[in-house]
Amino acid sequence: MLMNMKELLSVANKNFFAVPAFNIQIGVLLKTVIDCCEELRAPVILELAPVELDFITDSFVAQCLAAAHFAHVPVVVHFDHGTTRENILRAIRAGFTSVMIDASHYSFEENIRITKDIVEIAHPLGISVEGEIGTIGTAANSLEKGTDEISYTDPDDAYRFVRETGVDTLAIGIGTAHGLYPKGFVPRLKLDILTEIKNKVGIPLVLHGGSGNPDDEIAESVKRGVNKINISSDMKDAFFQHLRKDLAADTKMLEPSVVFPGSMNAAREVINHKIKLFNDADKAKYYQL
Ligand SMILES: [Zn+2]
């Protein structure tokens, strides 16, 4: 069932779980994610960032929307890391039920102005808006934008930002980075800042770039009020590691229905693990489907 982010995450906020947002980008990963979520009765967010949408084009959004309508679990189709009024308008026309405007690299005042403008466009159409303050780092292999320096979100800034922009959800910087972390690097989340932000703003918080963070920290962040966690690198890494092996083992394979199932199963393991880690399994029961 298709819905917007506000509808989806108000339930998660009340019941202390987080919904995974998967950057699916291709049909095979879309099917893998939907299959897992139906099996585990888990609400889910399908998301595409601007570079991903440029690659697969708007017709894939229609495919995601159709998958959402057919699914027996709540589904949001979300535009990840929108950067301009133009690409947000394109996303709205394509049918996304939620959009992110990431103006976090501008000054705080400019971020408020840009984000508020998008909220004024999206809300009358029933489309939810995610904003971001503080920055999320960038590790290797990530298409997503970020900075080398992670800056932590100030709780007072978060309060003012939410009040003045009217965003439905807020992405915060508490020490995560996009992409896969270098081997041996163990990031540490500042969970005390997370609690302070949640107490001030109350709305669902979003974690980007949590692929390499220890499971216990992620589980704790969910308990403290994170309700959406973006997952991209972990899932794709499992998928492509397996695909490389399968293709090398049998160089004659050419039917997609033969080539992909092994890799889909490898991705499924990651997806299932994240759903359980985020306490998202079986939460479809809280929604009227
Ligand atoms: Zn992100």
Side-chain angles (χ1 to χ4, degrees), residues 2 60-71 77:
L2 180 68
F60 184 67
V61 183
Q63 195 183 330
C64 292
L65 294 169
H69 282 300
F70 281 112
V77 181

Side-chain angles (χ1 to χ4, degrees), residues 80-81 144 178 208 230:
D80 185 30
H81 284 286
E144 290 187 74
H178 288 129
H208 287 237
N230 289 16

Side-chain angles (χ1 to χ4, degrees), residues 146-157:
T147 58
D148 294 335
E149 287 270 299
I150 295 172
S151 74
Y152 294 90
T153 302
D154 178 79
D156 290 323
D157 282 353

Side-chain angles (χ1 to χ4, degrees), residues 47 80-81 100 102 132 136 144-145 178 207-209 230:
E47 67 179 18
D80 185 30
H81 284 286
M100 177 189 191
D102 178 3
E132 176 177 325
I136 294 148
E144 290 187 74
K145 284 209 167 76
H178 288 129
L207 215 55
H208 287 237
N230 289 16

